[in-house]
Coordinates of all heavy atoms in Angstrom, one line a residue:
M277 N 132.7 76.6 187.6 CA 132.2 76.7 186.3 C 132.6 75.4 185.6 O 133.8 75.0 185.6 CB 132.8 77.9 185.6 CG 132.3 78.1 184.3 SD 132.6 79.8 184.0 CE 132.2 80.1 182.5
T278 N 131.7 74.8 184.8 CA 131.9 73.5 184.2 C 132.2 73.8 182.7 O 131.6 74.7 182.1 CB 130.7 72.6 184.3 OG1 129.6 73.2 183.7 CG2 130.5 72.3 185.8
R279 N 133.0 72.9 182.1 CA 133.3 73.0 180.7 C 132.2 72.4 179.9 O 131.7 71.3 180.3 CB 134.6 72.3 180.4 CG 135.8 73.1 180.6 CD 137.1 72.4 180.4 NE 137.3 72.0 179.0 CZ 138.1 71.0 178.6 NH1 138.7 70.3 179.4 NH2 138.2 70.8 177.3
P280 N 131.8 73.0 178.8 CA 130.8 72.3 177.9 C 131.4 71.0 177.4 O 132.5 71.0 177.0 CB 130.5 73.3 176.9 CG 131.5 74.4 177.0 CD 132.2 74.3 178.3
Q281 N 130.5 70.0 177.3 CA 131.0 68.8 176.7 C 131.1 68.9 175.2 O 130.3 69.5 174.6 CB 130.0 67.7 177.1 CG 130.1 67.4 178.6 CD 129.1 66.2 178.9 OE1 128.2 66.0 178.1 NE2 129.3 65.6 180.0
S282 N 132.0 68.1 174.7 CA 132.1 68.1 173.2 C 131.0 67.2 172.6 O 130.4 66.4 173.4 CB 133.5 67.6 172.8 OG 133.6 66.2 173.1
V283 N 130.8 67.3 171.4 CA 129.7 66.5 170.7 C 130.1 65.0 170.9 O 129.2 64.2 171.1 CB 129.7 66.9 169.2 CG1 128.7 66.0 168.5 CG2 129.2 68.4 169.1
R284 N 131.3 64.7 170.8 CA 131.7 63.3 170.9 C 131.4 62.8 172.3 O 130.9 61.6 172.5 CB 133.2 63.1 170.5 CG 133.6 61.7 170.6 CD 135.0 61.5 170.2 NE 135.0 60.2 169.5 CZ 135.7 59.9 168.4 NH1 136.4 60.8 167.9 NH2 135.6 58.7 167.9
A285 N 131.6 63.6 173.3 CA 131.4 63.2 174.6 C 129.9 63.0 174.9 O 129.5 62.1 175.6 CB 132.0 64.2 175.6
R286 N 129.1 63.8 174.3 CA 127.6 63.7 174.5 C 127.1 62.5 173.8 O 126.2 61.8 174.2 CB 126.9 65.0 173.9 CG 127.0 66.1 174.9 CD 126.1 67.3 174.5 NE 127.1 68.1 173.7 CZ 126.7 69.0 172.8 NH1 125.4 69.1 172.5 NH2 127.6 69.6 172.1
I287 N 127.6 62.2 172.6 CA 127.1 61.0 171.8 C 127.6 59.7 172.4 O 126.9 58.8 172.5 CB 127.4 61.1 170.3 CG1 126.7 62.3 169.7 CG2 127.1 59.9 169.6 CD1 127.0 62.6 168.3
G288 N 128.8 59.7 172.8 CA 129.4 58.5 173.3 C 130.7 58.3 172.6 O 131.1 59.0 171.7
S289 N 131.5 57.4 173.1 CA 132.8 57.2 172.6 C 132.8 56.3 171.4 O 133.9 56.0 170.9 CB 133.7 56.6 173.7 OG 133.2 55.3 174.1
G290 N 131.7 55.8 171.0 CA 131.6 55.0 169.8 C 132.0 55.7 168.5 O 132.2 56.9 168.4
N291 N 132.0 55.0 167.4 CA 132.3 55.5 166.1 C 131.1 56.3 165.6 O 129.9 55.8 165.5 CB 132.6 54.4 165.1 CG 133.1 54.9 163.8 OD1 133.1 56.1 163.6 ND2 133.5 54.0 163.0
M292 N 131.3 57.6 165.3 CA 130.2 58.5 164.9 C 129.6 58.1 163.5 O 128.5 58.4 163.2 CB 130.6 59.9 164.9 CG 130.7 60.5 166.3 SD 131.3 62.2 166.3 CE 130.5 63.0 165.0
T293 N 130.5 57.5 162.7 CA 130.0 57.2 161.3 C 129.1 56.0 161.2 O 128.5 55.7 160.2 CB 131.2 57.0 160.4 OG1 132.0 55.9 160.9 CG2 132.0 58.2 160.2
S294 N 129.0 55.3 162.3 CA 128.1 54.1 162.3 C 126.6 54.5 162.5 O 125.7 53.8 162.2 CB 128.4 53.2 163.4 OG 128.2 53.8 164.7
S295 N 126.4 55.7 162.9 CA 125.0 56.2 163.0 C 124.4 56.5 161.7 O 125.0 57.1 160.8 CB 125.0 57.5 163.8 OG 123.7 58.1 163.8
A296 N 123.2 56.0 161.4 CA 122.5 56.1 160.1 C 122.2 57.6 159.8 O 122.2 58.0 158.7 CB 121.3 55.3 160.0
T297 N 121.9 58.3 160.9 CA 121.5 59.7 160.6 C 122.8 60.6 160.4 O 122.7 61.6 159.7 CB 120.8 60.3 161.8 OG1 121.6 60.2 163.0 CG2 119.5 59.6 162.1
M298 N 123.9 60.2 160.8 CA 125.1 60.9 160.6 C 125.9 60.5 159.3 O 126.7 61.2 158.8 CB 126.1 60.7 161.8 CG 125.6 61.2 163.1 SD 125.3 63.0 163.1 CE 127.0 63.5 163.2
N299 N 125.5 59.4 158.7 CA 126.2 58.9 157.5 C 125.5 59.4 156.3 O 124.4 59.1 156.0 CB 126.1 57.3 157.5 CG 127.0 56.7 156.5 OD1 127.6 57.5 155.7 ND2 127.1 55.4 156.5
P300 N 126.2 60.2 155.5 CA 125.6 60.8 154.3 C 125.3 59.7 153.2 O 124.5 59.9 152.4 CB 126.6 61.8 153.8 CG 127.9 61.4 154.4 CD 127.6 60.7 155.7
N301 N 126.0 58.6 153.3 CA 125.8 57.5 152.4 C 125.0 56.4 153.0 O 125.3 55.3 153.1 CB 127.1 56.9 151.9 CG 128.0 57.9 151.2 OD1 127.4 58.7 150.4 ND2 129.3 57.8 151.3
G302 N 123.8 56.9 153.5 CA 122.9 56.0 154.2 C 122.2 55.0 153.3 O 122.5 54.9 152.1
P303 N 121.2 54.4 153.8 CA 120.4 53.4 153.0 C 119.8 54.0 151.8 O 119.7 53.4 150.7 CB 119.4 52.8 153.9 CG 119.8 53.2 155.3 CD 120.7 54.4 155.2
R304 N 119.3 55.2 151.9 CA 118.6 55.9 150.7 C 119.6 56.2 149.6 O 119.3 56.0 148.4 CB 118.0 57.2 151.2 CG 116.7 57.0 152.0 CD 116.1 58.3 152.3 NE 114.9 58.0 153.1 CZ 114.3 58.9 153.7 NH1 114.7 60.2 153.7 NH2 113.2 58.7 154.4
A305 N 120.8 56.6 150.0 CA 121.9 56.9 149.0 C 122.3 55.6 148.3 O 122.5 55.5 147.0 CB 123.1 57.5 149.6
R306 N 122.4 54.5 149.0 CA 122.7 53.2 148.4 C 121.6 52.7 147.5 O 121.9 52.2 146.4 CB 123.0 52.1 149.5 CG 124.4 52.3 150.1 CD 124.7 51.1 151.0 NE 123.7 50.8 152.0 CZ 123.9 51.2 153.3 NH1 124.9 51.9 153.6 NH2 122.9 51.0 154.2
T307 N 120.4 52.9 147.9 CA 119.2 52.5 147.1 C 119.2 53.4 145.8 O 119.0 52.8 144.7 CB 117.9 52.7 147.8 OG1 118.0 52.0 149.0 CG2 116.7 52.3 147.0
R308 N 119.5 54.7 145.9 CA 119.5 55.5 144.7 C 120.6 55.1 143.7 O 120.4 55.0 142.5 CB 119.7 57.0 145.1 CG 118.4 57.7 145.3 CD 118.6 59.1 145.5 NE 118.6 59.3 147.0 CZ 119.5 60.0 147.7 NH1 120.5 60.6 147.1 NH2 119.4 60.1 149.0
S309 N 121.8 54.8 144.3 CA 122.9 54.4 143.4 C 122.6 53.1 142.8 O 123.0 52.8 141.6 CB 124.2 54.4 144.1 OG 124.3 53.4 145.1
R310 N 122.0 52.1 143.5 CA 121.7 50.8 143.0 C 120.6 51.0 141.9 O 120.7 50.3 140.9 CB 121.2 49.9 144.1 CG 121.2 48.5 143.8 CD 120.8 47.6 144.9 NE 121.6 47.8 146.1 CZ 121.1 47.9 147.3 NH1 119.9 47.8 147.6 NH2 122.0 48.1 148.3
S311 N 119.6 51.8 142.1 CA 118.6 52.1 141.1 C 119.2 52.7 139.9 O 118.8 52.3 138.8 CB 117.5 53.0 141.7 OG 116.9 52.4 142.8
A312 N 120.1 53.6 140.0 CA 120.7 54.2 138.9 C 121.6 53.2 138.1 O 121.5 53.2 136.8 CB 121.6 55.4 139.3
L313 N 122.3 52.4 138.8 CA 123.1 51.3 138.1 C 122.2 50.3 137.4 O 122.5 49.9 136.3 CB 123.9 50.6 139.2 CG 124.9 49.6 138.6 CD1 125.9 50.3 137.7 CD2 125.7 49.0 139.8
T314 N 121.1 50.0 138.0 CA 120.1 49.0 137.4 C 119.5 49.7 136.1 O 119.4 49.0 135.1 CB 119.0 48.7 138.3 OG1 119.6 48.1 139.5 CG2 118.0 47.7 137.7
A315 N 119.2 51.0 136.2 CA 118.6 51.7 135.0 C 119.6 51.7 133.9 O 119.3 51.6 132.7 CB 118.1 53.0 135.4
L316 N 120.9 52.0 134.3 CA 121.9 52.1 133.2 C 122.1 50.7 132.6 O 122.3 50.7 131.3 CB 123.2 52.6 133.9 CG 124.4 52.7 133.0 CD1 124.2 53.8 131.9 CD2 125.7 53.0 133.8
A317 N 122.2 49.7 133.4 CA 122.4 48.3 132.8 C 121.2 48.0 131.9 O 121.4 47.4 130.8 CB 122.5 47.3 133.9
L318 N 120.0 48.3 132.3 CA 118.8 48.0 131.5 C 118.8 48.8 130.2 O 118.5 48.2 129.1 CB 117.5 48.3 132.3 CG 116.2 47.9 131.7 CD1 116.1 46.4 131.4 CD2 115.1 48.4 132.5
T319 N 119.2 50.0 130.3 CA 119.3 50.9 129.0 C 120.3 50.3 128.1 O 120.0 50.2 126.9 CB 119.6 52.3 129.4 OG1 118.6 52.8 130.3 CG2 119.7 53.2 128.2
C320 N 121.5 49.9 128.6 CA 122.5 49.3 127.7 C 122.0 48.0 127.1 O 122.3 47.8 125.9 CB 123.8 49.1 128.5 SG 124.6 50.6 128.9
A321 N 121.3 47.2 127.8 CA 120.8 46.0 127.3 C 119.8 46.2 126.2 O 119.8 45.5 125.2 CB 120.2 45.1 128.4
I322 N 118.9 47.2 126.4 CA 117.9 47.5 125.4 C 118.6 48.0 124.1 O 118.2 47.6 123.0 CB 116.9 48.5 125.9 CG1 116.0 47.8 126.9 CG2 116.0 49.1 124.8 CD1 115.1 48.8 127.7
I323 N 119.5 48.9 124.2 CA 120.2 49.5 123.1 C 121.0 48.4 122.3 O 120.9 48.3 121.1 CB 121.2 50.6 123.5 CG1 120.4 51.8 124.0 CG2 122.1 51.0 122.4 CD1 121.2 52.9 124.6
L324 N 121.7 47.5 123.1 CA 122.5 46.5 122.4 C 121.6 45.4 121.8 O 122.0 44.8 120.8 CB 123.5 45.9 123.4 CG 124.6 46.8 123.8 CD1 125.5 46.1 124.9 CD2 125.4 47.2 122.6
S325 N 120.4 45.2 122.3 CA 119.5 44.2 121.7 C 119.0 44.6 120.4 O 118.6 43.9 119.5 CB 118.4 43.8 122.7 OG 117.5 44.9 122.8
G326 N 118.9 45.9 120.2 CA 118.4 46.5 118.9 C 119.4 46.3 117.8 O 119.0 46.4 116.6
C327 N 120.7 46.1 118.1 CA 121.7 45.9 117.1 C 121.5 44.7 116.3 O 121.8 44.6 115.1 CB 123.1 45.9 117.7 SG 123.6 47.5 118.4
G328 N 120.9 43.6 116.9 CA 120.7 42.4 116.2 C 119.6 42.5 115.1 O 119.6 41.7 114.2
V329 N 118.7 43.4 115.3 CA 117.7 43.6 114.3 C 118.3 43.9 112.9 O 117.9 43.4 111.9 CB 116.7 44.6 114.7 CG1 115.7 44.9 113.6 CG2 116.0 44.2 116.0
R330 N 119.3 44.9 112.9 CA 119.9 45.3 111.7 C 120.8 44.2 111.1 O 120.9 44.0 109.9 CB 120.7 46.6 111.9 CG 119.8 47.8 111.9 CD 120.6 49.0 112.1 NE 120.7 49.3 113.5 CZ 121.7 49.6 114.1 NH1 122.9 49.7 113.5 NH2 121.7 49.8 115.4
L331 N 121.4 43.4 112.0 CA 122.3 42.4 111.5 C 121.6 41.2 110.8 O 122.1 40.6 109.9 CB 123.2 41.9 112.7 CG 124.2 42.9 113.3 CD1 124.8 42.2 114.5 CD2 125.2 43.3 112.3
E332 N 120.4 41.0 111.3 CA 119.6 39.8 110.8 C 118.8 40.2 109.5 O 118.3 39.3 108.8 CB 118.7 39.3 111.8 CG 119.5 38.7 113.0 CD 118.6 38.4 114.2 OE1 117.4 38.6 114.1 OE2 119.1 37.9 115.2
S333 N 118.6 41.4 109.2 CA 117.8 41.8 108.1 C 118.7 41.8 106.8 O 119.9 42.0 106.9 CB 117.2 43.2 108.3 OG 118.2 44.2 108.4
P334 N 118.1 41.6 105.7 CA 118.9 41.5 104.4 C 119.3 43.0 104.1 O 118.7 43.9 104.5 CB 117.9 41.0 103.4 CG 116.5 41.3 103.9 CD 116.7 41.3 105.4
P335 N 120.5 43.1 103.3 CA 120.9 44.4 103.0 C 119.9 45.1 102.1 O 119.2 44.4 101.3 CB 122.3 44.1 102.3 CG 122.2 42.7 101.8 CD 121.3 42.0 102.8
P336 N 119.9 46.4 102.1 CA 118.9 47.1 101.2 C 119.3 46.9 99.8 O 120.5 46.8 99.4 CB 119.1 48.6 101.7 CG 120.4 48.7 102.3 CD 120.7 47.3 102.9
T337 N 118.3 46.9 98.9 CA 118.5 46.8 97.5 C 118.7 48.1 96.9 O 118.3 49.1 97.4 CB 117.3 46.1 96.8 OG1 116.1 46.9 97.1 CG2 117.0 44.7 97.4
E338 N 119.4 48.1 95.7 CA 119.6 49.4 95.0 C 118.3 49.8 94.4 O 117.6 49.0 93.8 CB 120.6 49.2 93.9 CG 121.0 50.4 93.2 CD 122.2 50.2 92.2 OE1 122.8 49.2 92.3 OE2 122.3 51.1 91.4
P339 N 118.0 51.1 94.6 CA 116.7 51.6 94.0 C 116.7 51.6 92.5 O 117.8 51.8 91.8 CB 116.6 53.0 94.5 CG 117.9 53.4 95.1 CD 118.7 52.1 95.3
V340 N 115.6 51.2 91.9 CA 115.5 51.2 90.4 C 114.9 52.5 90.0 O 113.9 53.0 90.5 CB 114.5 50.0 90.0 CG1 114.3 50.0 88.5 CG2 115.1 48.7 90.5
P341 N 115.6 53.2 89.0 CA 115.0 54.4 88.5 C 113.7 54.3 87.9 O 113.4 53.4 87.1 CB 116.1 54.9 87.5 CG 116.8 53.7 87.1 CD 116.7 52.7 88.2
D342 N 112.8 55.3 88.2 CA 111.5 55.3 87.5 C 111.5 56.0 86.2 O 112.6 56.5 85.8 CB 110.4 55.8 88.5 CG 110.7 57.3 88.9 OD1 111.8 57.8 88.6 OD2 109.8 57.9 89.5
A343 N 110.4 56.2 85.6 CA 110.4 56.8 84.2 C 110.8 58.3 84.3 O 111.6 58.7 83.4 CB 108.9 56.7 83.7
V344 N 110.5 59.0 85.3 CA 110.9 60.4 85.4 C 112.4 60.5 85.6 O 113.0 61.4 85.0 CB 110.2 61.1 86.6 CG1 110.7 62.5 86.9 CG2 108.7 61.0 86.5
E345 N 113.0 59.6 86.3 CA 114.5 59.6 86.5 C 115.2 59.3 85.2 O 116.2 59.9 84.8 CB 114.9 58.7 87.6 CG 116.4 58.6 87.8 CD 117.0 59.9 88.4 OE1 116.2 60.7 88.9 OE2 118.2 60.0 88.3
V346 N 114.6 58.4 84.4 CA 115.2 58.0 83.1 C 115.2 59.2 82.2 O 116.1 59.5 81.5 CB 114.5 56.8 82.5 CG1 115.0 56.5 81.1 CG2 114.8 55.6 83.4
V347 N 114.0 59.9 82.1 CA 113.9 61.1 81.3 C 114.9 62.2 81.7 O 115.5 62.8 80.9 CB 112.4 61.6 81.3 CG1 112.3 62.9 80.6 CG2 111.5 60.6 80.7
R348 N 115.0 62.4 83.0 CA 115.9 63.4 83.5 C 117.4 63.1 83.1 O 118.1 64.0 82.6 CB 115.8 63.5 85.0 CG 116.6 64.7 85.6 CD 116.8 64.6 87.1 NE 117.6 63.4 87.5 CZ 119.0 63.4 87.4 NH1 119.6 64.5 87.0 NH2 119.6 62.4 87.8
R349 N 117.8 61.8 83.3 CA 119.1 61.5 82.9 C 119.4 61.6 81.4 O 120.4 62.1 81.0 CB 119.4 60.0 83.3 CG 119.6 59.7 84.7 CD 119.9 58.3 84.9 NE 120.0 57.9 86.3 CZ 120.1 56.7 86.8 NH1 120.3 55.7 85.9 NH2 120.2 56.5 88.1
T350 N 118.4 61.3 80.6 CA 118.5 61.4 79.2 C 118.6 62.9 78.8 O 119.5 63.3 77.9 CB 117.3 60.8 78.4 OG1 117.2 59.4 78.9 CG2 117.5 60.8 76.9
A351 N 117.8 63.7 79.4 CA 117.8 65.2 79.1 C 119.2 65.8 79.5 O 119.7 66.6 78.7 CB 116.7 65.9 79.8
V352 N 119.7 65.4 80.6 CA 121.0 65.9 81.0 C 122.1 65.5 80.1 O 123.0 66.3 79.7 CB 121.4 65.5 82.5 CG1 122.8 65.8 82.9 CG2 120.4 66.2 83.5
A353 N 122.1 64.2 79.7 CA 123.1 63.7 78.8 C 123.0 64.4 77.4 O 124.1 64.8 76.8 CB 123.0 62.2 78.6
D354 N 121.8 64.6 76.9 CA 121.6 65.3 75.7 C 122.1 66.8 75.7 O 122.8 67.3 74.8 CB 120.2 65.3 75.2 CG 119.7 63.9 74.8 OD1 120.6 63.0 74.6 OD2 118.5 63.7 74.7
A355 N 121.8 67.4 76.9 CA 122.2 68.8 77.0 C 123.8 68.9 77.1 O 124.4 69.9 76.5 CB 121.6 69.4 78.3
L356 N 124.4 68.0 77.8 CA 125.9 68.0 77.8 C 126.5 67.7 76.4 O 127.5 68.3 76.0 CB 126.4 67.0 78.8 CG 126.1 67.3 80.3 CD1 126.5 66.2 81.2 CD2 126.8 68.6 80.7
L357 N 125.9 66.8 75.7 CA 126.3 66.5 74.3 C 126.2 67.7 73.4 O 127.1 68.0 72.6 CB 125.6 65.3 73.7 CG 126.0 64.9 72.3 CD1 127.4 64.4 72.3 CD2 125.0 63.8 71.8
V358 N 125.1 68.4 73.5 CA 124.8 69.6 72.6 C 125.9 70.7 73.0 O 126.4 71.3 72.1 CB 123.4 70.1 72.8 CG1 123.2 71.5 72.2 CG2 122.4 69.1 72.1
A359 N 126.1 70.9 74.3 CA 127.1 71.9 74.7 C 128.5 71.5 74.2 O 129.2 72.4 73.7 CB 127.1 72.0 76.2
E360 N 128.8 70.3 74.3 CA 130.2 69.9 73.8 C 130.3 70.0 72.3 O 131.3 70.5 71.8 CB 130.4 68.4 74.2 CG 131.7 67.8 73.8 CD 131.9 66.4 74.1 OE1 131.3 65.9 75.1 OE2 132.6 65.7 73.3
Q361 N 129.3 69.7 71.5 CA 129.3 69.8 70.1 C 129.3 71.3 69.7 O 130.0 71.7 68.7 CB 128.1 69.1 69.4 CG 128.2 67.6 69.5 CD 127.0 66.9 69.0 OE1 125.9 67.5 68.8 NE2 127.1 65.6 68.8
A362 N 128.6 72.1 70.4 CA 128.6 73.6 70.1 C 130.0 74.2 70.3 O 130.4 75.0 69.5 CB 127.5 74.3 70.9
G363 N 130.6 73.7 71.4 CA 131.9 74.2 71.7 C 132.9 73.8 70.6 O 133.8 74.5 70.2
A364 N 132.8 72.5 70.2 CA 133.7 72.0 69.2 C 133.5 72.7 67.8 O 134.4 73.0 67.1 CB 133.5 70.5 69.0
A365 N 132.2 73.0 67.5 CA 131.9 73.7 66.2 C 132.4 75.1 66.3 O 132.9 75.7 65.3 CB 130.4 73.7 66.0
A366 N 132.4 75.8 67.4 CA 132.9 77.2 67.6 C 134.4 77.2 67.4 O 134.9 78.1 66.8 CB 132.4 77.7 68.9
V367 N 135.1 76.2 68.0 CA 136.5 76.2 67.9 C 136.9 75.9 66.4 O 137.8 76.5 65.9 CB 137.1 75.1 68.8 CG1 138.6 74.8 68.5 CG2 136.9 75.5 70.3
A368 N 136.2 75.0 65.8 CA 136.5 74.7 64.4 C 136.2 75.9 63.5 O 136.9 76.1 62.5 CB 135.6 73.5 63.9
E369 N 135.3 76.7 63.8 CA 134.9 77.9 63.0 C 135.9 79.0 63.3 O 136.0 79.9 62.5 CB 133.5 78.3 63.4 CG 132.9 79.4 62.5 CD 131.5 79.7 63.0 OE1 130.6 78.9 62.6 OE2 131.3 80.7 63.6
G370 N 136.6 78.9 64.4 CA 137.6 80.0 64.7 C 137.1 81.0 65.7 O 137.9 81.9 66.1
S371 N 135.9 80.9 66.2 CA 135.5 81.8 67.1 C 135.6 81.2 68.5 O 135.7 80.0 68.7 CB 134.0 82.2 66.9 OG 133.2 81.1 67.0
R372 N 135.5 82.1 69.5 CA 135.6 81.6 70.9 C 134.3 81.1 71.4 O 133.3 81.8 71.2 CB 136.1 82.8 71.8 CG 136.4 82.5 73.2 CD 137.0 83.6 73.9 NE 136.3 83.6 75.2 CZ 135.6 84.6 75.7 NH1 135.4 85.7 75.1 NH2 135.0 84.4 76.9
P373 N 134.2 79.9 72.0 CA 132.9 79.4 72.5 C 132.4 80.3 73.6 O 133.2 80.8 74.4 CB 133.2 78.0 72.9 CG 134.7 77.9 73.1 CD 135.3 79.0 72.2
T374 N 131.1 80.4 73.7 CA 130.5 81.2 74.7 C 130.1 80.4 75.9 O 129.7 80.9 77.0 CB 129.3 82.0 74.2 OG1 128.3 81.0 73.7 CG2 129.7 83.0 73.1
W375 N 130.1 79.1 75.7 CA 129.7 78.2 76.9 C 130.7 77.1 77.0 O 131.1 76.6 76.0 CB 128.3 77.6 76.6 CG 127.8 76.8 77.8 CD1 127.8 75.5 77.9 CD2 127.2 77.4 78.9 NE1 127.3 75.1 79.1 CE2 126.9 76.3 79.8 CE3 126.9 78.7 79.4 CZ2 126.3 76.5 81.0 CZ3 126.3 78.8 80.6 CH2 126.0 77.7 81.4
P376 N 131.1 76.8 78.1 CA 130.8 77.3 79.5 C 131.5 78.7 79.7 O 132.6 78.9 79.1 CB 131.3 76.3 80.4 CG 132.4 75.5 79.7 CD 132.0 75.6 78.2
P377 N 130.9 79.5 80.5 CA 131.5 80.8 80.7 C 132.9 80.7 81.4 O 133.1 79.9 82.2 CB 130.5 81.6 81.6 CG 129.6 80.6 82.1 CD 129.7 79.4 81.2
S378 N 133.8 81.5 81.0 CA 135.2 81.4 81.5 C 135.5 82.5 82.5 O 134.7 83.3 82.8 CB 136.2 81.5 80.4 OG 136.0 82.5 79.6

C-alpha cells in the first residue's frame, strides 16, 4: 500500500507562494489597490484645488437693508419705546405694570 503524496510533493519542492494562482495578492489585487490609490490621490487633488477659489475671491460685503427692513426695525424700536414708557408711567402712577408679564 502506498502513501498518498502531500500537496507540496505533488506541486514540487519550490516555493508555493510564487505561483500566481496560489497568491491571493496577485496582479489583479495589485492593480485594484493601485487604482484605489490613484483615485484617492486624484480626489484629494480636486478637493484641495477648490480651496484656492475661495482664497482668491474678495470677502463678501455686508448686506444693505432694503426699505422693508428699515420699516421693520423702526416699528420694533417704536414698540419697545412705547412699552418702556407705558411701564414707567404705570410705576409713576403707583400701579403695577401689566407688560411685560411676570
Side-chain angles (χ1 to χ4, degrees):
M277 186 158 175
T278 61
R279 276 177 66 201
Q281 291 181 341
S282 69
V283 173
R284 181 174 216 144
R286 279 185 271 159
I287 293 176
S289 63
N291 188 355
M292 285 178 38
T293 59
S294 66
S295 172
T297 59
M298 298 295 287
N299 189 354
N301 298 325
R304 288 184 181 164
R306 282 192 301 264
T307 303
R308 271 187 262 130
S309 67
R310 196 175 306 133
S311 297
L313 185 60
T314 303
L316 179 65
L318 185 62
T319 303
C320 288
I322 289 171
I323 289 172
L324 291 177
S325 68
C327 292
V329 173
R330 279 182 269 131
L331 294 175
E332 295 169 0
S333 62
T337 59
E338 185 175 342
V340 178
D342 59 351
V344 174
E345 179 66 18
V346 172
V347 169
R348 187 195 66 79
R349 284 184 187 176
T350 305
V352 168
D354 290 344
L356 291 174
L357 180 65
V358 168
E360 182 182 327
Q361 288 176 347
V367 169
E369 191 177 282
S371 65
R372 189 175 136 240
T374 58
W375 187 259
S378 49

